């Protein structure tokens, strides 16, 4: 959520920066300012009435001390008190309306964020490795998975409908091994604290990290909407410190967590949907940082480096892109995507998205720290998929397929998988 004080101070500048995101991004700003003006007028009237009521109260006391009647003043005081109560009610309504409007406005892109209209304008920052060369035509993961009986899409459709998969045998073991291997890498080598959070969260938690109210149609809610299935571990993990005031010495906090993720993908029409590429349920290992504002941009580079280490240790060809102003996510100020090459599908697939939200999420969830000056300031929050398991699974099996239809296991994770190959 944007700081209302910042909006008041420079509304035109905020409008211009939001407009870089594309059409409609700044539409709610005028209504926020209207509500803010209305709120300030109401507060001004309340303060004036309270001052008048205090004056009357003193006069009533003076009359009574002299034994003089004060019925006329008492009536006027009651009238003002009733009006103050009414104005307080109206002020609360305006404040609630203003906060609701603020929750729909996206974050400000970082000042140096690449400018562009959409994904075609995202610059490639780094390309790592080379696409694997085959002396045969590589199969995609669907053909490989069905031939080796490690993926079963037909059974998943029968049980749950489209957008789901059943991992069987060595396929289920490979997915589980990837989760364990990544958690071990991030906790042992990168210094994260592993947490296992709930997979259902309250609405306030979804609001805190920015999924609600904007993306409600993409979320799975329980009956009555009291709880939501997590769309990513970012939600429960970042909200572990909601409504807290940390000390400066508490920062940074670094968490790694595995959760299944649930999304309706209501807005994914026309996007890649074959096999595991886009699912309603998928697994992720998420990295979350709660950081000091002065360090968050440097932290983003470290966070992204940890996500890249996964792909490098698995020997997977990938590229790192920086999202431009027209493609960056709703809550992010700056974001890198890691896209891994899937040779069977013949395309890059996004597997990790590493974002710095600055104070956007922290303001929404009341997450602060007490600085050396004794003042409370919003923390900065960051997260990075470390990695989306389904798409990592795609890249791994397609990259390490053999001519005879088997799958080699990368050396880095053979111990945790317990074998050198599938098939």
């Amino acid at each position: 959520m944007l700081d209302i004080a910042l909006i008041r101070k420079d509304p035109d500048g905020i409008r211009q920066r939001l407009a870089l995101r594309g059409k409609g991004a700044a539409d709610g700003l005028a209504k926020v300012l209207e509500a803010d003006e209305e709120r300030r007028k109401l507060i001004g009237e309340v303060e004036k009435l309270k001052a008048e009521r205090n004056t009357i109260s003193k006069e009533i006391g003076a009359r009574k001390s002299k034994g003089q009647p004060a019925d006329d003043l008492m009536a006027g005081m009651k009238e003002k008190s009733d009006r103050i109560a009414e104005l307080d009610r109206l002020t609360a309504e305006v404040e609630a309306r203003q906060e609701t409007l603020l929750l729909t406005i996206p974050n400000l892109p970082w000042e140096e964020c690449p400018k562009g209209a959409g994904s075609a304008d995202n610059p490639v920052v780094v390309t790592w490795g080379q696409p694997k060369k085959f002396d045969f035509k590589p199969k995609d993961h669907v053909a490989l998975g069905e031939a080796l009986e490690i993926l079963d899409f037909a059974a998943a459709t029968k049980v749950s409908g489209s957008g789901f998969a059943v991992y069987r045998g060595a396929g289920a073991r490979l997915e589980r091994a990837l989760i364990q291997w990544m958690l071990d890498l991030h906790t042992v080598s990168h210094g994260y604290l592993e947490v296992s959070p709930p997979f259902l969260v309250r609405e306030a938690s979804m609001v805190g990290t920015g999924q609600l109210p904007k993306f409600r149609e993409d979320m799975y809610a329980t009956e009555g909407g009291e709880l939501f299935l997590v769309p990513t571990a970012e939600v429960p993990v970042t909200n572990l410190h909601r409504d807290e005031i940390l000390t400066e010495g508490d920062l940074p906090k670094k968490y790694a967590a595995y959760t299944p993720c649930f999304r309706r993908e209501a807005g994914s029409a026309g996007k890649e949907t074959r096999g595991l590429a886009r699912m309603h349920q998928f697994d992720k290992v998420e990295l979350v940082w709660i950081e000091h504002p002065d360090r968050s941009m440097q932290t983003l580079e470290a966070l992204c480096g940890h996500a890249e280490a996964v792909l490098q240790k698995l020997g997977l060809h990938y590229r790192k892109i920086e999202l431009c102003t027209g493609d960056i996510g709703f809550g992010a100020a700056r974001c890198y995507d890691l896209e891994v090459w899937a040779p069977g599908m013949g395309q890059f697939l996004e597997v990790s998205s590493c974002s710095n939200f600055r104070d956007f999420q922290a303001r929404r969830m009341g997450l602060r720290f007490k600085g050396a000056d004794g003042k409370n300031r919003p923390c900065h929050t960051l997260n990075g998929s470390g990695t989306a398991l389904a798409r990592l699974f795609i890249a791994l099996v397609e990259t390490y397929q053999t001519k005879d239809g088997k799958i080699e296991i990368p050396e880095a994770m053979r111990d945790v998988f317990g074998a050198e190959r599938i098939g």
Side-chain angles (χ1 to χ4, degrees):
M1 185 164 62
L2 299 185
D3 183 359
I4 185 62
L6 187 63
I7 296 174
R8 287 188 199 117
K9 182 179 178 181
D10 185 18
D12 290 337
I14 299 299
R15 187 177 291 106
Q16 290 170 11
R17 287 178 65 184
L18 286 174
L20 294 172
R21 285 179 165 272
K23 185 178 179 181
D27 285 355
L29 205 60
K31 290 184 178 180
V32 167
L33 289 167
E34 288 174 7
D36 192 55
E37 181 63 23
E38 184 179 351
R39 170 184 168 276
R40 294 169 77 180
K41 285 181 178 178
L42 288 168
I43 290 174
E45 187 175 350
V46 167
E47 290 176 347
K48 180 182 177 182
L49 287 170
K50 284 182 177 179
E52 291 174 354
R53 186 176 62 179
N54 288 340
T55 299
I56 293 173
S57 179
K58 291 178 182 178
E59 179 63 22
I60 290 172
R63 286 193 187 184
K64 286 186 175 181
S65 67
K66 297 176 182 178
Q68 298 174 348
D71 292 349
D72 57 329
L73 294 178
M74 294 286 288
M77 187 170 179
K78 182 180 185 308
E79 182 180 334
K80 290 185 184 297
S81 293
D82 290 345
R83 179 57 180 165
I84 288 170
E86 173 65 11
L87 290 173
D88 284 342
R89 183 186 66 78
L90 292 173
T91 301
E93 290 179 358
V94 172
E95 287 175 342
R97 185 169 81 247
Q98 183 184 55
E99 181 165 341
T100 298
L101 289 167
L102 282 168
L103 290 174
T104 66
I105 295 176
N107 200 0
L108 297 176
W110 180 48
E111 293 85 347
E112 298 179 38
C113 191
K115 294 179 177 59
S119 59
D121 298 319
N122 293 334
V124 176
V125 179
V126 170
T127 299
W128 190 90
Q130 297 293 328
K132 184 176 179 179
K133 295 182 179 179
F134 298 87
D135 59 0
F136 60 92
K137 183 178 180 180
K139 297 178 181 178
D140 70 13
H141 67 288
V142 177
L144 285 166
E146 291 177 345
L148 291 169
E149 297 184 343
I150 61 173
L151 291 174
D152 191 338
F153 294 101
T157 300
K158 178 171 61 178
V159 172
S160 302
S162 62
F164 296 90
V166 172
Y167 295 81
R168 290 186 180 274
R173 190 165 83 249
L174 177 58
E175 185 191 36
R176 174 166 50 87
L178 281 167
I179 294 169
Q180 181 178 335
W181 178 75
M182 282 195 289
L183 285 172
D184 288 347
L185 173 66
H186 293 314
T187 55
V188 175
S189 299
H190 300 151
Y192 289 82
L193 175 67
E194 181 179 351
V195 293
S196 181
F199 301 160
L200 286 161
V201 295
R202 293 176 172 176
E203 182 170 350
S205 295
M206 297 283 275
V207 171
T209 45
Q211 281 73 25
L212 295 180
K214 174 79 172 173
F215 303 105
R216 188 176 293 272
E217 65 175 5
D218 280 334
M219 304 302 145
Y220 284 103
T222 59
E223 186 175 354
E226 295 177 359
L227 293 171
F228 291 79
L229 291 167
V230 296
T232 166
E234 167 200 345
V235 179
V237 175
T238 312
N239 276 279
L240 290 175
H241 296 285
R242 178 159 50 91
D243 294 324
E244 291 185 10
I245 300 175
L246 306 176
T247 68
E248 200 162 10
D250 290 330
L251 303 176
K253 288 190 174 291
K254 300 167 57 178
Y255 295 113
Y258 153 75
T259 66
C261 305
F262 305 90
R263 298 181 194 173
R264 294 184 186 276
E265 297 289 1
S268 64
K271 296 182 180 179
E272 176 57 57
T273 57
R274 179 163 171 75
L276 298 173
R278 190 167 293 275
M279 310 288 289
H280 295 307
Q281 175 186 324
F282 54 96
D283 292 322
K284 279 175 66 178
V285 172
E286 193 83 19
L287 306 177
V288 171
W289 286 61
I290 298 172
E291 184 58 284
H292 192 286
D294 294 348
R295 298 191 295 262
S296 67
M297 281 303 172
Q298 299 96 307
T299 293
L300 178 62
E301 302 300 328
L303 172 69
C304 195
H306 297 156
E308 290 182 75
V310 171
L311 305 180
Q312 292 175 7
K313 288 180 180 297
L314 294 178
L316 298 174
H317 173 50
Y318 71 91
R319 65 187 184 186
K320 173 184 177 181
I321 65 173
E322 184 169 4
L323 271 59
C324 69
T325 53
D327 196 39
I328 198 168
F330 174 80
R334 188 183 188 190
C335 180
Y336 292 117
D337 277 357
L338 302 182
E339 298 181 341
V340 69
W341 178 250
M345 297 180 72
Q347 67 183 84
F348 281 101
L349 297 173
E350 177 200 327
V351 290
S352 294
S353 187
C354 304
S355 302
N356 184 353
F357 298 96
R358 303 184 105 173
D359 62 1
F360 187 79
Q361 291 181 329
R363 287 185 182 281
R364 296 168 78 100
M365 65 177 70
L367 170 54
R368 296 169 290 168
F369 74 98
K370 188 176 291 294
D373 58 2
K375 295 181 179 179
N376 296 331
R377 298 170 58 192
C379 299
H380 280 198
T381 60
L382 305 94
N383 79 68
S385 309
T387 311
L389 268 294
R391 293 187 174 187
L392 183 61
F393 189 103
I394 291 173
L396 193 149
V397 300
E398 291 187 6
T399 298
Y400 286 95
Q401 62 181 293
T402 62
K403 193 170 185 178
D404 59 356
K406 303 182 188 309
I407 298 168
E408 299 285 348
I409 299 300
E411 186 173 351
M413 59 174 301
R414 286 179 182 175
D415 287 345
V416 67
F417 180 72
E420 294 184 3
R421 64 169 49 201
I422 294 174

